[in-house]
Amino acid sequence: MHAKLPHPFDDATRITAGDSSWQGHTSDDYWAFVGPFGGATAATILRALIEHPQRAGDPLALTVNYCAPIAKGPFDLDVRLVKANRSSQHWSVELSQDGGEVATLATAVFAERRPSWEHRVATVPDAAAFEATLPFPKISASWANQYEFRFVEGEMRIGPPQAELASTYSKIWISDRTPRRLDMLSLMSMSDAFFGRIFHARRELVPFGTVSLTTYFHTDSEELAAVEDITRVLATADSKIMHKSYADQNAELWSPNGRLLATTTQIAYFKA
C-alpha cells in the first residue's frame, strides 16, 4: 500500500521550527507571475502562528504587507508574541531571505471565541449550485491552477479593449482543484484567490500585485471541523476605486450552507 502524498497546499505551506526563527520554502505549484502567490505566503505565516507553542485561541485577523519580492527558495519567519491577555494575543511575523531585509511583514490577532449574543446582518448571496456552474479554464499562472474557479457572475474575460469598462463584481465558487477539506489555512489563502479587479474592468492583464491584505475570520477551527466535507466557498469580490496606481478589493467568503466565514480587504498596485 502506498502512503498518501501530502496535498500540494500542505507542501507549499510547510514550515519547520528553528532556534530563533521558523523556516519555509516557496512552491512552484503556487507561483504567480513574478513571485509566490500572496495567499500561500499568508497561509504559511498563519501556519507558523497556529503551530507555535505559545499560541492560544483561533485567528481573528491577519494583515500581511508585501514589502518586497520574494525569490524562489527558502525563507525565514521571525515570529514574535507582542502582547497577550486573558482572551487575545497579538503577534508579529517578519519574512526574510538569506539574512536580508524584511520582504513580508504581518500582524495577527488570535482570540478565544466564546458563546455570546449574535446578530447576522449579512445575507448569503443567491447563487447557482457548484455542480451547475462550469470550471474556469486553466491559465499560465501555476497558483491559479491549484484552484477550481466556477463563476456564477462576473467571469473574467480577456479580449479586445472596449469603450465601456466592465463590472468589477464577481460571484464565484472557489475550491482546491485537488479536493481538500477547508480549514483556517485554506480559508486564509482563498481570501486572496481572486483575479485582480482591474483585469475584469479593462478586460486585459496588466502588471499587478497585492501590497497589503487583511482577512477577518468569522468562524473558528472547531466550527469548521464540525461541518463535514466543506471543500469550497462561495465568494463575492468587488472594488470601490482604482486611482493613481492603486486599487482596493473587498470580498466575502461563505460556506455552502450559508455561513459567513471570512471577510477581506486589500490594496494592490497596478500599472496601466
Side-chain angles (χ1 to χ4, degrees):
M1 174 184 261
H2 295 289
K4 186 177 179 181
L5 294 175
H7 192 279
F9 180 75
D10 294 305
D11 266 342
T13 58
R14 180 179 292 116
I15 46 93
T16 55
D19 293 334
S20 59
S21 64
W22 300 61
Q23 286 77 43
H25 198 287
T26 61
S27 168
D28 289 344
D29 289 335
Y30 288 84
W31 196 255
F33 294 106
V34 295
F37 165 50
T41 300
T44 304
I45 289 170
L46 185 60
R47 184 184 288 278
L49 292 170
I50 288 175
E51 295 184 5
H52 197 285
Q54 291 180 274
R55 187 267 302 181
D58 279 291
L60 190 67
L62 178 65
T63 296
V64 183
N65 297 315
Y66 301 92
C67 309
I70 300 172
K72 287 190 176 184
F75 53 78
D76 296 317
L77 297 173
D78 182 8
V79 181
R80 184 167 68 97
L81 178 59
V82 177
K83 178 69 175 179
N85 55 40
R86 289 188 301 173
S87 60
S88 65
Q89 294 181 327
H90 297 260
W91 295 84
S92 72
V93 183
E94 295 181 354
L95 183 154
S96 59
Q97 292 180 292
D98 298 324
E101 294 183 349
V102 173
T104 303
L105 172 65
T107 59
V109 181
F110 277 65
E112 300 277 1
R113 303 187 73 118
R114 299 180 178 90
S116 70
W117 178 86
E118 63 179 63
H119 180 36
R120 300 180 184 272
V121 180
T123 56
V124 61
D126 292 330
F130 175 83
E131 295 78 10
T133 52
L134 296 176
F136 190 73
K138 290 187 177 182
I139 64 174
S140 58
S142 63
W143 77 266
N145 298 324
Q146 299 303 322
Y147 292 105
E148 185 168 283
F149 301 101
R150 297 191 175 211
F151 282 92
V152 177
E153 183 181 340
E155 180 177 334
M156 183 178 71
R157 298 182 183 275
I158 304 301
Q162 302 291 321
E164 184 177 348
L165 295 175
S167 172
T168 59
Y169 177 80
S170 290
K171 186 187 300 180
I172 183 174
W173 289 102
I174 305 174
S175 64
D176 291 291
R177 191 171 294 276
T178 300
R180 181 185 183 278
R181 185 166 178 164
L182 190 73
D183 59 13
M184 304 303 279
L185 299 177
S186 53
L187 187 59
M188 179 68 237
S189 187
M190 287 178 182
S191 75
D192 191 39
F194 300 94
F195 302 125
R197 298 297 93 194
I198 192 170
F199 302 165
H200 289 259
R202 292 174 59 96
R203 301 181 181 89
E204 67 173 332
L205 301 179
V206 300
F208 173 91
T210 301
V211 176
S212 183
L213 163 73
T214 297
T215 296
Y216 300 104
F217 299 90
H218 307 301
T219 185
D220 56 30
S221 54
E222 183 179 353
E223 286 180 328
L224 278 180
V227 184
E228 295 182 358
D229 298 326
I230 294 183
T231 59
R232 55 184 177 265
V233 296
L234 175 64
T236 62
D238 207 349
S239 177
K240 293 181 174 66
I241 186 169
M242 301 175 189
H243 175 66
K244 287 193 172 182
S245 302
Y246 291 92
D248 80 314
Q249 177 183 270
N250 49 86
E252 299 175 350
L253 289 81
W254 296 80
S255 71
N257 65 354
R259 291 288 301 271
L260 183 61
L261 302 176
T263 51
T264 182
T265 185
Q266 67 173 258
I267 193 79
Y269 165 82
F270 66 85
K271 185 177 181 181

